[in-house]
Amino acid sequence: MELIRGLHNLQPRHRGCVATIGAFDGVHRGHQAVLGRVLREARALALPAVVIVFEPLPREYLHPEEAPARLMDFREKFQALAALGVDRLLRIRFDETVRTMSAAAFVERIFVDGLGVKRLVLGDDFRFGRGREGDYDFLREQGERHGFDTLSTDTLALDGDRVSSTRVREALAEGDLELAAELLGRPYVITGRVVQGRQLGRTLGAPTANVELNRLKAPLSGVFTVRVNGGGLLEAPGVANVGTRPSVNDGSRANLEVHLLEGEPELYGRRIDVQFLHRLRPERKFDALEDLKEAIHGDFAAAREWFAARTVDRYDA
């Protein structure tokens, strides 16, 4: 998949496509329905399928402290879209110029002059432009004026409720990883590079891999059973702690620490995928390091029991 880094990098060869636009945070099943429509329309017209996203996300730019936790960083989103077969990803920097652009100017600058869109596919809740004045009806009128078709994709529901990034965040925040996986169409995964930590885990008899989150907030917190891939690992069982480490850290930035239940491979500098399976407990603050150490080793025992039970279930099946 080709990444186009900003409007200034659009070339004449990029004109003529089927496109969609949105946050696509999580690339959940609702997003997949929109993207599936984009791909079908693009193949029918023998044109590239293009996804347009903003970085930072508009809510992160406008209200960074109040913005919801990201389900994906940009790299994870890129990989998810590429895996679905998208041909090009146009990343537009969200700044004051874009924020104050009228919906009509946005259409002309990006859809018409920039990409020469032939067919535009939208989710049913998409709005854009200054004051969010652009919606599906507006785009349909603009399409008739500029010569592109506008198609809407119906809401995808699960158990009577809309599939959305907000619903995925709520499921993760509540520790309902099964519901999150249903909404996403896959288990929730965080990908990041292993970096040097404070080595406190090693002193507590629990060496951990500290993983870059590339986001201020994490959408989930607590202690989890996980499987780890990458860095030479394949489905390696482990325990992960996601949170602000209140027992040893006064900061508010989220951290991800992973302890492998089998072996201690050298992972520094390598990227790993952490697949979240089950929440063992919420994050807690311990007054003494001995209490923290006891809780950590209790988590390891609980995780081993959880994995052992699943192994028995698979064997019985």
Side-chain angles (χ1 to χ4, degrees):
M1 182 174 71
E2 179 185 4
L3 173 60
I4 306 170
R5 301 173 185 270
L7 295 174
H8 61 285
N9 282 318
L10 285 172
Q11 305 294 327
R13 66 181 179 84
H14 292 133
R15 290 180 53 78
C17 64
V18 175
T20 187
I21 183 170
F24 294 99
D25 189 24
V27 191
H28 54 62
R29 288 173 60 190
H31 294 145
Q32 292 165 33
V34 174
L35 294 164
R37 183 80 183 274
V38 172
L39 290 166
R40 290 192 298 274
E41 299 291 337
R43 302 305 178 249
L45 296 177
L47 290 172
V50 177
V51 174
I52 306 164
V53 298
F54 296 109
E55 282 291 332
L57 299 178
R59 283 183 291 182
E60 293 175 337
Y61 177 83
L62 297 169
H63 307 288
E65 295 303 320
E66 300 171 14
R70 279 197 180 209
L71 298 173
M72 287 179 160
D73 65 16
F74 179 76
R75 184 185 183 118
E76 291 168 326
K77 186 183 301 184
F78 178 93
Q79 292 173 334
L81 293 171
L84 289 173
V86 173
D87 298 302
R88 293 174 184 154
L89 178 62
L90 170 58
R91 185 179 68 185
I92 299 174
R93 178 173 177 78
F94 192 86
D95 55 16
E96 281 301 293
T97 299
V98 175
R99 186 186 72 83
T100 57
M101 191 180 294
S102 70
F106 187 97
V107 168
E108 291 194 22
R109 174 69 181 91
I110 297 168
F111 297 148
V112 180
D113 296 336
L115 288 169
V117 170
K118 300 301 181 185
R119 197 162 287 175
L120 183 66
V121 180
L122 301 173
D124 62 350
D125 63 338
F126 178 72
R127 298 183 72 91
F128 71 103
R130 185 177 55 216
R132 292 172 59 82
E133 60 189 345
D135 58 10
Y136 173 76
D137 290 335
F138 173 83
L139 281 170
R140 185 181 58 191
E141 294 170 0
Q142 289 289 304
E144 291 173 356
R145 177 182 175 187
H146 293 290
F148 62 83
D149 299 323
T150 304
L151 307 176
S152 179
T153 304
D154 293 336
T155 293
L156 182 68
L158 177 67
D159 297 331
D161 290 324
R162 182 172 177 270
V163 176
S164 67
S165 299
T166 298
R167 193 176 172 197
V168 176
R169 289 188 196 97
E170 290 171 349
L172 291 173
E174 294 167 4
D176 192 343
L177 294 172
E178 289 187 0
L179 175 57
E182 266 198 279
L183 296 166
L184 290 166
R186 62 190 183 281
Y188 181 65
V189 173
I190 290 179
T191 300
R193 190 179 305 280
V194 178
V195 297
Q196 191 79 29
R198 295 171 56 187
Q199 304 296 312
L200 179 61
R202 194 169 296 278
T203 67
L204 296 174
T208 59
N210 296 272
V211 182
E212 287 181 316
L213 280 176
N214 295 320
R215 64 202 92 190
L216 180 61
K217 306 173 188 175
L220 74 177
S221 67
V223 179
F224 302 85
T225 58
V226 299
R227 287 198 181 276
V228 181
N229 289 287
L233 301 173
L234 180 62
E235 296 289 299
V239 178
N241 181 86
V242 186
T244 57
R245 298 186 299 181
S247 302
V248 298
N249 188 6
D250 294 329
S252 60
R253 191 175 185 88
N255 299 276
L256 169 56
E257 299 172 315
V258 181
H259 171 81
L260 297 175
L261 295 176
E262 302 170 357
E264 293 184 36
E266 179 56 63
L267 295 173
Y268 287 126
R270 308 185 79 170
R271 295 188 66 84
I272 61 174
D273 297 336
V274 183
Q275 182 183 100
F276 291 82
L277 304 174
H278 171 72
R279 186 162 77 168
L280 295 169
R281 64 171 174 84
E283 187 176 43
R284 298 200 304 265
K285 181 173 182 177
F286 297 93
D287 295 326
L289 284 181
E290 277 303 313
D291 295 335
L292 174 61
K293 180 178 180 179
E294 182 178 347
I296 288 172
H297 287 277
D299 295 334
F300 297 166
R304 288 190 174 93
E305 289 181 10
W306 188 88
F307 281 111
R310 266 89 210 138
T311 301
V312 170
D313 289 344
R314 287 199 299 271
Y315 180 80
D316 290 344

